[in-house]
Amino acid sequence: MTSIVNLEISGEGTGLAELVDAVPSLTCEAETAVVSNGRDLWLSGASNDEIEAGLAEASAVEEYALINGSDGEWLYNVEFADETIDVFELVLEEGGTILDASAPDGSWVLNIRVQERNDASSIYEALEDRELSPTIIRLFDTTDESHSQAGLTERQYDTLVAAVDHGYFDIPREVSMQELAEELDISHQALSERLRRAYRSLVTSELDVTPEEAEPAPSPSLSD
């Protein structure tokens, strides 16, 4: 039976800690698609110049390259040193698929799909063996969980509930994103990132697809 495990792990040893040391305000969201070299990371929370200075300073970063980005968020391909722990590969080796990975405060928060609950235990033990201090936030079977909560962290769920209660999804909207952010006592950018992660978690868990499969198909040409 397919299950979803939501857990938090330390950034130590994964390269994240070094980046946050260099840029304390940094937030990070990982692209879960496998790339040939390094890892694709959406970086925000600081200026582009500060982020690049942090990437150059971080001892765990071997190479980096800007792919694209704007409006305070940039996508970088980051290649880490050989001794750095690749959490994505580790989870894959233990029978899991990372649906969503973000690091809003220096620790990784992962949504992982497993075919058997035993796989969740194996992943936990593998992370613990590498001293990543895993903490399971939620573990549930996809067939037993209500559609409104599937794949969401508690903060994501509470944020969506608050958005509904305050009329953010009404047409027309009864509250702006800035007003909702002030109500939740978080920044506009933090709210935007949390909502986007929540949307993606809902899509990937409800449709039982990976984030790559959830990508929209190319628009047809006028001649199609």
Side-chain angles (χ1 to χ4, degrees), residues 13-24:
T14 69
L16 178 64
E18 288 85 352
L19 282 175
V20 173
D21 284 345
V23 188

Side-chain angles (χ1 to χ4, degrees), residues 24-82:
S25 61
L26 187 73
T27 61
C28 175
E29 184 174 348
E31 292 285 304
T32 54
V34 176
V35 293
S36 57
N37 293 306
R39 179 64 57 190
D40 287 351
L41 304 174
W42 284 100
L43 303 177
S44 59
S47 70
N48 186 237
D49 288 343
E50 290 172 319
I51 288 174
E52 294 223 346
L55 287 166
E57 177 183 335
S59 59
V61 175
E62 293 283 353
E63 297 182 18
Y64 63 90
L66 177 63
I67 299 175
N68 60 48
S70 60
D71 298 327
E73 188 175 35
W74 296 272
L75 179 63
Y76 280 88
N77 178 260
V78 181
E79 188 170 349
F80 292 101
D82 291 340

Side-chain angles (χ1 to χ4, degrees), residues 7 9 12-14 34 39 84-98 110 112 114 119-132 134:
L7 55 79
I9 64 173
E12 296 289 341
T14 69
V34 176
R39 179 64 57 190
T84 303
I85 300 169
D86 189 330
V87 176
F88 287 76
E89 288 295 331
L90 186 153
V91 169
L92 183 62
E93 290 172 0
E94 299 298 332
T97 299
I98 294 181
L110 311 173
I112 302 170
V114 293
D119 294 332
S121 297
S122 297
I123 291 169
Y124 181 92
E125 291 171 1
L127 293 168
E128 194 170 49
D129 287 345
R130 288 159 178 79
E131 300 182 346
L132 293 176

Side-chain angles (χ1 to χ4, degrees), residues 4 138 140 142 145-153 157 198 201-203 205-206:
I4 303 293
R138 302 176 69 235
F140 59 89
T142 55
E145 186 71 4
S146 67
H147 293 315
S148 62
Q149 298 183 50
L152 300 173
T153 66
Y157 176 70
S201 294
L202 283 173
V203 169
S205 62
E206 291 303 312

Side-chain angles (χ1 to χ4, degrees), residues 96-216:
T97 299
I98 294 181
L99 303 176
D100 183 75
S102 60
D105 56 5
S107 297
W108 284 111
V109 178
L110 311 173
N111 276 320
I112 302 170
R113 183 173 63 207
V114 293
Q115 294 302 315
E116 303 289 342
R117 285 204 170 210
N118 287 341
D119 294 332
S121 297
S122 297
I123 291 169
Y124 181 92
E125 291 171 1
L127 293 168
E128 194 170 49
D129 287 345
R130 288 159 178 79
E131 300 182 346
L132 293 176
S133 305
T135 299
I136 294 180
I137 300 171
R138 302 176 69 235
L139 173 63
F140 59 89
D141 298 328
T142 55
T143 55
D144 295 336
E145 186 71 4
S146 67
H147 293 315
S148 62
Q149 298 183 50
L152 300 173
T153 66
E154 183 176 353
R155 286 194 303 181
Q156 290 169 355
Y157 176 70
D158 290 343
T159 299
L160 287 178
V161 170
V164 171
D165 289 344
H166 287 83
Y168 179 74
F169 296 114
D170 291 353
I171 303 175
R173 285 178 174 166
E174 296 183 7
V175 64
S176 68
M177 182 174 289
Q178 183 60 47
E179 290 169 333
L180 182 59
E182 292 172 358
E183 182 69 26
L184 296 172
D185 195 26
I186 59 177
S187 69
H188 181 284
Q189 180 175 313
L191 175 61
S192 176
E193 292 172 356
R194 191 178 299 177
L195 286 174
R196 188 176 65 183
R197 289 194 294 269
Y199 299 154
R200 187 165 65 178
S201 294
L202 283 173
V203 169
T204 54
S205 62
E206 291 303 312
L207 299 184
D208 196 30
V209 297
T210 65
E212 301 88 77
E213 293 169 333
E215 289 294 326

